[in-house]
Structures are given as structure tokens and as C-alpha cells.
Amino acid sequence: MISDLSRFSPSAAPALDDDQLLHVSLGPQHPSTHGVFRMNVALDGETVVSLKPVFGYLHRNHEKIAENATYLSSMPYTDRLDYICPLSNNWAYAQAVEKLAGIEVPERAEYMRVILAELTRLINHTAFAGFILGDMGAWGSALMYAFRERELILDLFEDLTGARMMANFMRFGGCRNDLPAGWAGKVSALVDGYGPFLDEMEDLLIGNEILLSRTRDVGALTKEVLINGGITGPMLRAAGVNYDIRKVEPYGIYQRFDFRIPLGETGDCYDRIMIRFLEMRESIKILRQALDQLPDGPFVHPKAKIRNFKPPVGEAYARIEGPKGELGFHLISDGSANPYRYRVRPPSFINLTLLEDMCLGLDLADVVVILGSIDIVLGEVDR
Amino acid sequence: MIPLIPLLILSPLILLAALGAVWNARPVHAALLLALALALTAGLYLTIGADFIGLVQFMVYVGAVAVLIVFSLLITRPGDEAEELARRPGAAVSGLACVLPVATVLLYAVSHTPDLSSGASESPTLPLQTLGKALFTDYAPAVLAVGVLLTAVMVGAVLFARDPDKKPPTPPGP
Amino acid sequence: MSLLAMSTAESSLWSPEWLPRLPQRLVEMLLRNCHAPDWLVTLAGYAVAAGTVVAVFLTAFALLSLIERKTLARIQNRLGPNRAGWFGILQPVADGIKMLTKEDIVPAKAEWFLHLMAPILIVVPSMLALGVIPYGREWVPVSLDLGLLFFFAVGTLTEVAVFMAGWASGSKFPMLGAMRAISQMVSYELPLIISALGVIMVTGSLSLPAIVEHQGTYHLGFIPAWNVFTPWGLTATLVFFIASIAEANRCPFDLPEGESEIVAGHMTEYSGFKYALFFMGEYLGLFAISGLFITLFLGGWQAPLPGLTFVPSWLWFFAKLVAVIFTHLWIRGTFPRVRMDQLMRFAWLCMIPMALLTIPAAGIWVFTGGGLKGWLVIMPLLLIPWLILTTIHNRRLAPQTRTYTFADS
Amino acid sequence: MNLFGKWRGHSASRPGSGQNARATIGAPPRWSMPGLGLFKGLVVTARNMMQSYYRKDRMTTVQYPEERVTISPNFRNFPFLCYDGDDPVAGLRCTACSICEKECPPQCIYIVLDRDENGKSLKRPKLFDIDISVCMNCGICAEVCPFDSIYMDGQYEMSTTDRFGGLLLGLDRLAKSADYHLKLRPLEASEVAARRKAEEAKKLAAQAAKEAKAKTDKEAKAKAAAETQTAATGKGETA
């Protein structure tokens, strides 16, 4: 149980002929892979010599469909990008269209959006903690605890948006409907109960020696590599790069809240887990402030159009700090009811690009943990 | 009286398994047949009342030696080298050189054993304590020599398996 | 009528202590009454005794497959299977029917004979091992002088079986699983056997009933003289327990079948009843190793307090078995899996040194005659190396300083 | 038993912004008992196991179908068509304008306008099909409908053994009364009903005004016509 990688260094792995290696296809039907992701791994013993990710099994032509549909009809499709956190996707897309058409968002809607986005962050990071334990072979206990809390938030979403996951809630210029009576109170009750739950999860995970030895010094890359690879989100911050779009390029009303960005040092899998836990604590802080300050007013801009929406000719890129990283939407309008070009910058997909660099020279078992620590959702990778 | 029936059943089986182990072209099958031969030999010991020897034979030879052979086959993935080795001109000579002394010793031992069917009327059961005492008093030098040999082998194996250059993994640069 | 007369004469036959051997006794009596030859009586007696053990443990296996799911479900705040019968009690039956009716698939590249033999060879040694464990004062299916040796000897057969399963499947994941399984079993058999040596030294016998008898007294009138309550015994208990988890391929050492990495290891290419046999072999192995653990360290069938001896001894054994198996389930519900190199390192750098230390410690214990003097001499002998080992571990493994910065802007 | 130092409550203990605050997490004890973290994990799972016997809120599952969670009234599933009164055909609010058909993201709505024999629109659907195997429950059709006709249903037990016909809902299965809507979502439905009533009243008033105007117009026209006629006749007479 001693994680001393030096004995198993990649540099010591002798160069072998291809036919001496064991070629294993992990996925698309494999119990470890998230969704239908596939890795073609060449093993020397159990040491990874090469790893080729294969994806596209869940490709749904999202971008092309969006170019042939009205602006509003793409909104429900964004739910299905990263289906763990649909509301942040909604926000990113709504923001892009608002930028394109120059639509104002009322105060109350901004607060609602912040509350929903931070709840989504809680969902994502909680589920992540459960999933990574599953990847390490724990028999689902952490996952069940995580999903129990996630269910509570999903109940709130259902009450507000009508759907647990596929919310389709944000509209250009606000939100679809106002908060139901008593909803804000329920959120603050949930936020108050979330701290103890996080304490429990930390007891279960953070000090666990097996988890420590499985995750420490596994899958670390230098800051430079991560930045050059375009990695964003908790993965980048775990390596100590202070890059959070909520601070770097504040959108919505994030500059009104007092919160901090946790940064790690080494960027290994353990730091990635820890950063997510710390981010959840910060999200709770944001949620408390937002709930306190929630103003009255319209939930959508009164002049926002639902039918016959045609933004002026132009181009817009809007990005938010999604739970998994920078989520951006790039839209080009030719003045018609459909976008001329519609492009998503998916954090999962881009974070996945350095998978092989992280895995080389490590064990097969580490590959699974590293893939888990990247936190991908195949809906977003394959689009 | 040594039970004759198990001997008659087991000995041909042991011989067959041993011959199979020698002649089988597939190394894994040969190793498994060797394990079978060793296990059957353990059975032979058990039938003549040498329980301790039988069980130790089973545990050490089937459980450890055969498994190690099999394991080394697994990690080395032998291809055609085995056949190639067998076709070498010196193979027969070196094989004979190994077999002859062993066979001589065995034949000598068998021919000098007193007639068991008349002499030992019942199977001699040796108490474990006696065995242990004998091992650590009369045969202590032999035990020590074996211990030294095994230690040397183990140290050698550790040194052999050690990685010569211990560099920490450096993440790939930009 | 004579049967009844005999049974009333042998009144002990009807005491609860004899209950598990009742079938054996009855068959023997019946045969004797029919003037069967002695060898037939003995043979039939053994057969019935073996049948009893098999029946008991197959029932226990069925129950455990349900209880495991129920316990894990409760740990995860679910209810577990509760649809088949009352509280899901018929779930094992449903599972069995499902397994039996499933298609048996043999891969095209498989060696069909070895592929078929492997599941059988997994079950047989576990059953054999169950035969030598003393379950009660009067219930020892086969009392061997070399019981412990027999147990370990047949236990080694599972390694060959696992190898056969992995190799004969002609597939990659089973091969990886077999490699992992063999290296793990070979590594953990050492601490397992070495930690049992202390018990042999103290008892002076390899016979399992003798080992239990030796733990039958009570210190100060209430502390049972189990081996776990001695300094060397405590160390050996911990080492043996951890090694037994690894031998039984249970979490957190379930690498050979680590499902998130290598699908199901050596069992990947098995389906239907062959898979069920693997499952059965694994559970029977768990029973056997836990039974041995209880016998060696937890006093076997001895009651935990002198006043509690009126309870039949085999009930105590099974109560302890339930406790040990619950611990296994609890661990499975909590821990993630370790990695291969960590597993080996842990075996060679931590388990084997500590196991080796129990041998001189047990020797000193016998030499000093136990008691306070024994404790005083042995504690430093075990504690100092343990402190050194944990310090080494702390440097490498235990939480090192990690500083997380909070950027305000 | 907090092995990992000051890592909880760090926000309170770390005042002052501007410079980066540092928190040491992940425990730097000089010597710690190996296995303590594992033990803490065991305590957590044991506590959860015990609580699962007496705390309902700990449970992650419910025993559906015997036990059901209460569904939020806002829950939406598949669309339905609303009709007023008792007649699903005559009272249907839908005018077959096809806005929902156009806006539907997965294009699962199919509408055919009903026409009379002259080819004139009857402003009602002849065919209105929703393929709920395609529908993704987004609710955009309900949102864009200008006639308060299409709403999202809360019915979720819709499994069927017929993959094709059973999942293609026609007018007969889609049409549901306004009372059903009121029962399903009282808040939304009563709002809609009030608005419709007001609109109806306004419409009626407008109609009345229009009719009155038309009447006056007609009268005026008739008068004018009569005048012209008399004039014409007068002319004719004169001619």
C-alpha cells in the first residue's frame, strides 16, 4: 500500500515490439468506462505503453441539428450535452444568444441562474466523488450516498423546471418561469444540510489510506502541459493554475459574491478530488449569499420573444465556468431564425485530450482512476 | 503391509502424467501434467501412511513449485523457443547427463531397500515431534545448508528483479 | 423398537451438542442393527458426516449470497432484494434457477477440457478444507492429526484452478486476472501460513481440535484464553485476517476479479452454472478460511464466557462465523480496491515481517509461560518493529502535507 | 478524531482578502496511526447501515409501485391537447396553426389542417399526432402555443407492448378536458382560464361592438342603398 511510483517508472519500461504487447480494448462495453468511451490500450504486463481513446459512439450531430433549428429549439438539446449538469449548459447557451441579440437579463433571473448553476455544481461534484470511488472498486456505497443528496437537488429542479434532469429552463432574457412558492426556502434548507453531508463524505474518502495510495502522484501533469492542452476546470486548478471564468471574466452577477478559488499544487488525482470538495464548500457560500440577496421582479425580460426570434447578423462567443471546466458556445447569425454556425466548446472533450500523456507508464488500474478523475460525460464528448 | 491396490492404480497414472509432461509440445499443458504427476505422488505418500510427507509434497510441489512454473510460463509467453531448444544437437546429451546420475541414485536406493512386503508389517507412522527433532538435531547441517542456499537464491532474485535505474516519473514536458 | 431402545440408552445422542451429528449416528445405528460389516458402517458414517457439512454449508452459501446483498444494500441505504419470498428469502432459489437455465458459453479459442475442469477444481478444495474444521465439541467431520497442514495443502489447489480458468479461456482479461490471482495468492499464502505457525508452536500440535481445546480455559475466571488475547496472537490475528481477505479474493484485495479494471478476471468467459460454481467456490473458500481463522485465534467453538457453556458449542462457532463474515461484508461496503504493486508491497514489506516476528514472540510466550512476564517481554519485540514499519509507511503513504491555496481574485 | 487538521471551518479562520489565503489540508501529522482513515470510513458506513433501519430520509430508494413519491405539480411529461366543454372535437382549442410543429425540436408533431369540401380552412386539426417515442418532454410546444391549446401532461406510466402504434398518440388520446388541466396544475390552469375568460369577454364585447357597428353600418348602408335606389328609381322614372 505504498505509493512509490519510482519503482515503476515509465522510463524504466523497456521498448517492446508491438507483438509482445497485450492489446486490450477497454470499452465501449466495459464496466469501468464512463458511458460508451473506448480506450485501445497496449500493455506490457500491466503497464500502459500506449493508449488511444476512441469516441463517437454517442455522436448525435448536435451542432448540425442546431444549425437547422430555431434558436429556442436548441435549448433542450443543450440539456443533453452534459446530462449531469443541464442547467449550466442552458446558461451558457442562453448567454451566447443574449450576447448575439443584445438582450438584457433582469436582476431576479440573474440570481436564479446563479443559484441553479451552483446547485448544478454541487450535483456534479457530489456525483463525481461517488463515481471515482466506483472506479476504484468500492462497492457503490459512496455512490449511493452521493446520489441520495443529488436526488434532493433534483427534486428541487423538478419542482422548478418540471424535469429532474432535462430542465430546458433558461430562456433568452431570463428564465422560463418564476420560482414556485417556498422554493427558495427549500434550497436554503438543503444548503444548510449539505455541510454535514460533505463532512460525512470527507470522513469516508479524504483520509482513506487506500484512496490516498491509489490517487496520489497518479496522473499528474505540469502546469505548462495542462495550459497548452487547453485543459480547464478543476483539473487545471488542481495543478495550481488560477483560472476560473467566474473570476477571470465574470459573467452574470458573480462579481457580487464573496467566494474564493481553491488551487492545488501537484495536479494529481488526489488534488482533483480535493479541489472539487473545496469548490463545493465555496458553492455553498455563493448559494447562501444569493439566497439572501434574491430580489423581486420579473424573471424574464418583458420584451424577450419566444416565437419568431431572429437575432441580428453577427457573431458571439459566451463561456461560463461549468462544473467540468470552460463551457463555451459560439454562434454566428445570418439574421434568420436559425444560427448560421453553432459550435460548442465542451470541457469534457478537451480535458480528455491529454489522457494518454497522463496514463503512460502507469498501471491499467491507474488508467481507470485517471479517466474517472477527468470527470467526463460522454454526451458532451461525442455531442 | 503396504496397500498394493492404490500403488497399482497410482503408479501407472504417475508415469503417464510424467511422460505426458515430458512429451507434450505445449508448455502449459506440460506444466499442468507435471503438477498432476506431483499431486499423484503425494497421493502415493498418503496411501502408505506418510501423511506429513504427502501433505508437504502437495503443498510445496503442487501449490508452490508447479504454480511458479505455470506463472513463469504466463509472464514469459514462450513461443517457439522451446521446440527450437529441443532440436538443438546437444539436447540429448545434456538430457542424458542429467538423467543418468539421478537414475543411478534411485536404482541404488531401490535395490538396497529391505524387502518391504516382509519386513514392515504395518505402515510406520512417525510422530511429528520426532520428525521435527530429527530435522533440527541430526540433520541440522543439511537444514542449515538448504536455508543458506534458499536465502542466497532469494537475495539473488531480489537483486535480479530490481530496477537498475530508479528515476521518478517525469511528466512529459510541453 | 431396538432402535428406540438404543437411542434412549445413549441419552447423550439427543442433547443439542450432538444435534449436527445426529444423522451420522442414526445411520450408523441403523446399519449396525442390520448387521452390516464394520467397514460399511464407518464408510456410511463418514459419507453422512460429509453430507451434513456439505448440506450445512451449501445452505449457508445460499443464505450468504442473500445476506451479502442485503447487508451491502443496508450499508448503502437501500433495502436489497425483497421481492422473491418473505424478505427475499427465495432470492437464492431464483438466482440458482437463473444460473442453471442460462446458456453455457465456451469461447471458440478456449481449451474446453481445462475450461470445464477449472470451476470444479475451485469448489473441491474448499469443500475438502471445510471437512477438517472442528465445528463443535462433538462435531468434527474428519479429525486429522495434520489438519492444519491438510487445510493449507488443499487450499493451494485453488491457485492451479484459477490459472486453468484464466489460461483456458483463451481471452485477454481472464489471462490478466489469472496472473493477478496467482501472484496475489502466492504472496499472501506466506503470511497466512507463517502467522499460523505461532499457534502450532504454542499448542504443539497440527490438529485443529487440539488447537481449540488448548484455548479452552479462562484467565482470571472470565477472559477466555483465546490466542487473540495474547500479544503475539493479536499480531498474528491481524496478519492472518488481512491475508485471509486476500486469499478469499475479497475487497479490498479483489484484484483478480476487479470489475472496474479487468471485467471479471478469470471468470470473464464463464457463464451459466460454471460461473455459479466459481461463485460457490469463492463463498465456500470464505467460509473455510473464516472457520480456520476462528479455530486458530478466536477459540473455535469455545464459549466467550465460562457461564455460557450451556449453549451448544457449534452455535458459538457459527455465531463467530457470522461475526467474521459480517466484518468481511462491512469492509467490502466501505473500501476501494488497492493496486497490484501496492498489494505486493504490502504483503512483502509489512505482512511478512510482522508475521515472521510472531514466531519468536510465540516462542518467548511459551518459554516465559505467558502471563505478565510474557507481555512485558513480547510487547517491545512486536511494538518496536511495528513502529518502525508504520513510520516508514507514514513517510510514503499516510497523508502528507498538501497545501491548497485559495485565490481571492 | 479530526485527523486532517484545520480543514473544516477554514472560511471563518481566514479573514482578509486581497492576498491569497492558504489552507493546509490533507494532514501533516508527524506520526499517524496507519489505518485510521480506513477506520473512519468504516464508522461512516456502519452509521449509515444502522440509520437505514430507523431513518426514512436516509434511504435512497422507494419501493415503487407500492410506494410512490409525491410528484411535483410542475412535473412535465408528454403534451396533451386541451378542449373546453364536454366535446373533445368541437371544444378543441387547437386551430392547427402548426407553430408547435415548427418549433418542436425533435419534430415529433404532425398536424393536418381540416378543410371543408371547398378547400377552406376549418381552423381545426384533421390529424394531430405526437410520437412520444420521439418526444423529449421539453415543453416548447406548450410554451409557444398562442391558443392555450397544448400543455404538458404529468402522466408517467405509459409503458406499452406496442412499440409503434402504442406510442403514437392521435387526437383521441391527446385531447383532454380543461377540467383535467385544472386538476393537474391548478395554478397554471386557473390562470389560463381567467385569462381566457377575460379574453372571451373582451372578444364578446368586441364582437358585440362590432356587431353593433356592423348593424349600424348595415342600416346606414341599407339606408344609403334605399336612398340611391329611390334616387335611381326616381331617375328612372324621370328617364
Side-chain angles (χ1 to χ4, degrees), chain C residues 257-286:
Chain C
E257 56 215 63
E259 107 248 336
S260 65
E261 295 146 24
I262 50 170
V263 189
H266 56 273
M267 301 183 287
T268 307
E269 300 291 355
Y270 281 92
S271 61
F273 202 64
K274 285 185 195 162
Y275 181 79
L277 279 180
F278 272 107
F279 207 61
M280 189 196 284
E282 201 164 285
Y283 276 106
L284 291 182
L286 180 66

Side-chain angles (χ1 to χ4, degrees), chain C residues 81-101:
Chain C
N82 63 350
R83 294 290 154 140
W86 185 68
F87 281 104
I89 199 86
L90 292 179
Q91 188 68 37
V93 181
D95 287 344
I97 292 171
K98 185 194 88 174
M99 284 297 189
L100 274 170
T101 51

Side-chain angles (χ1 to χ4, degrees), chain D residues 164-213:
Chain D
F164 303 107
L167 294 176
L168 186 68
L169 304 191
L171 262 177
D172 50 333
R173 288 169 72 187
L174 282 173
K176 286 178 180 169
S177 69
D179 290 343
Y180 176 81
H181 186 215
L182 192 67
K183 223 186 276 169
L184 187 71
R185 282 197 205 123
L187 214 67
E188 185 194 56
S190 54
E191 215 171 80
V192 169
R195 198 180 67 234
R196 278 183 75 82
K197 217 171 194 178
E199 269 170 21
E200 196 75 11
K202 217 163 126 195
K203 220 171 173 184
L204 275 177
Q207 187 84 18
K210 203 172 158 197
E211 265 168 23
K213 192 161 174 272

Side-chain angles (χ1 to χ4, degrees), chain A residues 100-150:
Chain A
L100 191 66
I103 304 172
E104 291 281 308
V105 182
E107 191 88 331
R108 185 176 172 81
E110 290 279 25
Y111 274 94
M112 281 163 69
R113 286 178 174 191
V114 168
I115 291 170
L116 291 172
E118 294 305 319
L119 281 178
T120 306
R121 202 179 306 279
L122 284 185
I123 285 187
N124 183 71
H125 290 356
T126 311
F128 164 84
F131 285 139
I132 192 148
L133 257 278
D135 286 337
M136 272 183 248
W139 213 81
S141 296
L143 187 65
M144 281 292 159
Y145 302 159
F147 268 41
R148 182 183 61 216
E149 299 302 310
R150 174 173 175 258

Side-chain angles (χ1 to χ4, degrees), chain B residues 26 28-29 32 35 51-53 55-56 58-59 62-64 66-68 70-71 73-75 77 128-129 154, chain C residues 111 114 146 149-150 152-154 156-157 159-160 163-164 167 175 178-179 182-183 186 189 193 204-206 348:
Chain B
R26 307 188 63 173
V28 172
H29 286 188
L32 285 175
D51 288 358
F52 185 76
I53 303 294
L55 290 176
V56 166
F58 198 88
M59 192 159 93
V62 180
V67 166
L68 277 183
V70 151
F71 188 62
L73 283 178
L74 262 188
I75 55 177
R77 251 169 283 159
L128 197 57
Q129 275 86 354
M154 201 154 141
Chain C
E111 299 254 340
L114 294 181
L146 301 171
L149 199 60
F150 177 81
F152 287 129
V154 292
T156 54
L157 205 58
E159 287 161 30
V160 183
F163 164 76
M164 276 161 63
W167 188 80
M175 188 72 116
M179 274 163 74
I182 292 175
S183 43
V186 168
E189 213 146 72
I193 295 175
S205 169
L206 280 168
W348 290 95

Side-chain angles (χ1 to χ4, degrees), chain A residues 125 128 272-280 373 375:
Chain A
H125 290 356
F128 164 84
R272 289 176 198 154
I273 299 174
M274 286 301 299
I275 290 293
R276 286 179 169 101
F277 269 95
L278 293 170
E279 270 184 17
M280 278 197 266
S373 78
D375 191 14

Side-chain angles (χ1 to χ4, degrees), chain C residues 165-386:
Chain C
W167 188 80
S169 294
S171 174
K172 287 168 185 171
F173 287 121
M175 188 72 116
L176 283 174
M179 274 163 74
R180 283 180 171 199
I182 292 175
S183 43
Q184 173 178 335
M185 283 175 168
V186 168
S187 302
Y188 276 85
E189 213 146 72
L190 278 176
L192 195 75
I193 295 175
I194 294 173
S195 59
L197 285 182
V199 180
I200 302 170
M201 285 167 67
V202 170
T203 316
S205 169
L206 280 168
S207 153
L208 293 175
I211 288 171
V212 178
E213 290 289 348
H214 189 261
Q215 303 176 60
T217 54
Y218 296 89
H219 298 306
L220 306 177
F222 68 97
I223 304 170
W226 300 350
N227 286 332
V228 66
F229 297 122
T230 54
W232 62 270
L234 186 62
T235 316
T237 304
L238 290 174
V239 171
F240 191 94
F241 183 68
I242 295 171
S244 74
I245 298 177
E247 277 294 295
N249 286 345
R250 300 281 302 183
C251 179
F253 303 117
D254 54 346
L255 286 100
E257 56 215 63
E259 107 248 336
S260 65
E261 295 146 24
I262 50 170
V263 189
H266 56 273
M267 301 183 287
T268 307
E269 300 291 355
Y270 281 92
S271 61
F273 202 64
K274 285 185 195 162
Y275 181 79
L277 279 180
F278 272 107
F279 207 61
M280 189 196 284
E282 201 164 285
Y283 276 106
L284 291 182
L286 180 66
F287 284 130
I289 203 93
S290 303
L292 186 68
F293 175 62
I294 293 165
T295 306
L296 290 181
F297 298 106
L298 299 186
W301 41 259
Q302 305 281 1
L305 284 173
L308 293 172
T309 40
F310 62 90
V311 181
S313 56
W314 48 273
L315 271 183
W316 283 122
F317 181 89
F318 280 98
K320 288 172 190 173
L321 190 65
V322 167
V324 170
I325 284 184
F326 173 75
T327 315
H328 277 284
L329 299 184
W330 187 12
I331 286 173
R332 183 175 173 199
T334 311
F335 292 162
R337 187 183 302 125
V338 298
R339 203 172 55 204
M340 201 64 217
D341 58 311
Q342 294 160 356
L343 177 95
M344 302 303 268
R345 203 167 278 274
F346 185 61
W348 290 95
L349 295 188
C350 184
M351 301 278 285
I352 291 179
M354 288 314 289
L356 282 172
L357 277 174
T358 61
I359 297 176
I364 293 170
W365 184 258
V366 175
F367 191 69
T368 56
L372 194 64
K373 206 161 70 182
W375 277 89
L376 284 178
V377 180
I378 294 176
M379 283 317 274
L381 176 73
L382 291 172
L383 266 180
I384 291 169
W386 187 71

Side-chain angles (χ1 to χ4, degrees), chain D residues 118-172:
Chain D
N118 298 332
K120 195 167 165 279
S121 160
L122 288 177
K123 288 207 164 178
R124 68 170 189 231
K126 187 166 138 197
L127 211 62
F128 195 114
D129 285 345
I130 294 183
D131 187 346
I132 61 168
S133 64
V134 174
C135 175
M136 60 187 198
N137 321 340
C138 64
I140 282 184
C141 49
E143 224 169 303
V144 295
C145 181
F147 301 103
D148 305 315
S149 166
I150 191 162
Y151 288 108
M152 300 308 281
D153 207 341
Q155 178 69 30
Y156 56 91
E157 285 167 320
M158 308 195 66
S159 58
T160 167
T161 48
D162 181 8
R163 271 169 72 188
F164 303 107
L167 294 176
L168 186 68
L169 304 191
L171 262 177
D172 50 333

